[in-house]
């Protein structure tokens, strides 16, 4: 079995579906204060061709944040009216209450994620579309419709042939530390080969 992010594009000649060429995560590693974990310029841990997720974690002594990155190929010359990112649910934890798994601008992400991409996502606070964990399901597809800002970014990315997105916890975006010890996770299957390619993230563009 396998699970990878995908992108589906619909235009004047029909619907085009594209799967992610890479997805992964960028983690802060444990830091003694939330500010240190949040404001890092570079990740302490990077995963490529891996699950796609965002998180905030707090232990009795440290804080840990993870941000996601995903890259979709797109065909040039498309006429876009709407687009939906489809993510297959793996694991969700909401010890600090439900939150929004939020797609943000990932245009500065490298094709193969690098540590500096963690810092690149720090200032990306404008939502391109989101899903609240209260509405997320495991072992099934979750849909995030791109909003007007996300659609504009997609249209601008078409000429390059690649659409790059970040994924952030809404409290990471608002710079809000976990209120108590616990884990917040929104984890989706990614582009890793171990899953056999069945549930790669995808985008549907109309």
């Amino acid at each position: 079995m396998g699970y990878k992010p995908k992108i589906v594009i619909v235009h004047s000649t029909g619907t085009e579906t594209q799967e992610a060429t890479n997805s992964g995560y960028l983690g802060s590693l444990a830091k003694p204060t939330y500010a240190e974990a949040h404001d890092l310029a570079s990740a302490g841990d990077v995963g490529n061709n891996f699950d796609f997720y965002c998180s905030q974690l707090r232990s009795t002594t440290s804080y840990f944040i993870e941000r996601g990155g995903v890259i979709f190929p797109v065909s040039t010359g498309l006429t876009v009216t709407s687009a939906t990112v489809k993510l297959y649910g793996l694991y969700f934890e909401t010890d600090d209450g439900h939150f929004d798994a939020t797609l943000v601008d990932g245009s500065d992400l490298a094709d193969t994620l690098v540590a500096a991409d963690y810092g690149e996502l720090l200032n990306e606070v404008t939502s391109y579309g989101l899903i609240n964990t209260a509405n997320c399901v495991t072992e099934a597809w979750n849909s995030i419709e791109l909003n007007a800002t996300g659609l504009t970014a997609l249209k601008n990315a078409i000429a390059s042939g690649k659409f790059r997105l970040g994924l952030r916890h809404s409290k990471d975006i608002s710079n809000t530390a976990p209120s108590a010890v616990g884990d917040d996770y929104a984890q989706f299957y990614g582009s890793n080969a171990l899953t056999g390619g069945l549930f790669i993230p995808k985008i549907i563009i109309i």
Side-chain angles (χ1 to χ4, degrees):
M1 297 181 66
Y3 309 84
K4 295 182 182 178
K6 309 174 182 180
I7 186 169
V8 180
I9 303 169
V10 183
H11 51 96
S12 59
T13 60
T15 301
E16 176 182 299
T17 301
Q18 297 285 356
E19 295 183 341
T21 55
N22 186 29
S23 69
Y25 67 90
L26 303 146
S28 66
L29 294 184
K31 299 296 177 182
T33 69
Y34 181 76
E36 288 180 78
H38 185 269
D39 297 339
L40 283 175
S42 296
D45 185 29
V46 180
N48 280 284
N49 285 315
F50 203 77
D51 295 333
F52 180 53
Y53 55 91
C54 60
S55 71
Q56 288 207 145
L57 300 85
R58 177 180 174 180
S59 72
T60 55
T61 59
S62 61
Y63 296 84
F64 188 91
I65 296 172
E66 291 166 310
R67 298 164 184 160
V70 64
I71 301 167
F72 295 110
V74 292
S75 298
T76 58
L78 294 173
T79 299
V80 178
T81 58
S82 67
T84 302
V85 173
K86 306 284 283 187
L87 303 169
Y88 207 85
L90 175 59
Y91 175 74
F92 304 98
E93 187 76 32
T94 55
D95 289 342
D96 200 38
H98 286 294
F99 63 92
D100 295 326
T102 307
L103 296 173
V104 298
D105 181 15
S107 58
D108 291 328
L109 297 178
D111 286 345
T112 299
L113 298 177
V114 297
D117 287 333
Y118 184 88
E120 293 288 356
L121 291 175
L122 176 61
N123 292 322
E124 304 302 344
V125 297
T126 299
S127 171
Y128 281 9
L130 57 82
I131 186 170
N132 190 272
T133 50
N135 300 317
C136 288
V137 290
T138 58
E139 303 304 326
W141 288 106
N142 297 272
S143 298
I144 303 178
E145 184 174 355
L146 293 187
N147 58 26
T149 305
L151 286 175
T152 296
L154 173 59
K155 292 173 184 178
N156 291 337
I158 285 174
S160 72
K162 293 180 180 179
F163 186 43
R164 307 164 193 268
L165 291 167
L167 184 70
R168 297 186 67 182
H169 187 304
S170 53
K171 291 182 180 178
D172 173 26
I173 290 175
S174 64
N175 198 10
T176 304
S179 60
V181 171
D183 297 344
D184 279 4
Y185 265 103
Q187 186 168 359
F188 305 94
Y189 286 99
S191 60
N192 41 313
L194 291 177
T195 58
L198 294 178
F199 301 101
I200 300 171
K202 52 189 174 184
I203 189 171
I204 302 172
I205 303 168
I206 299 173

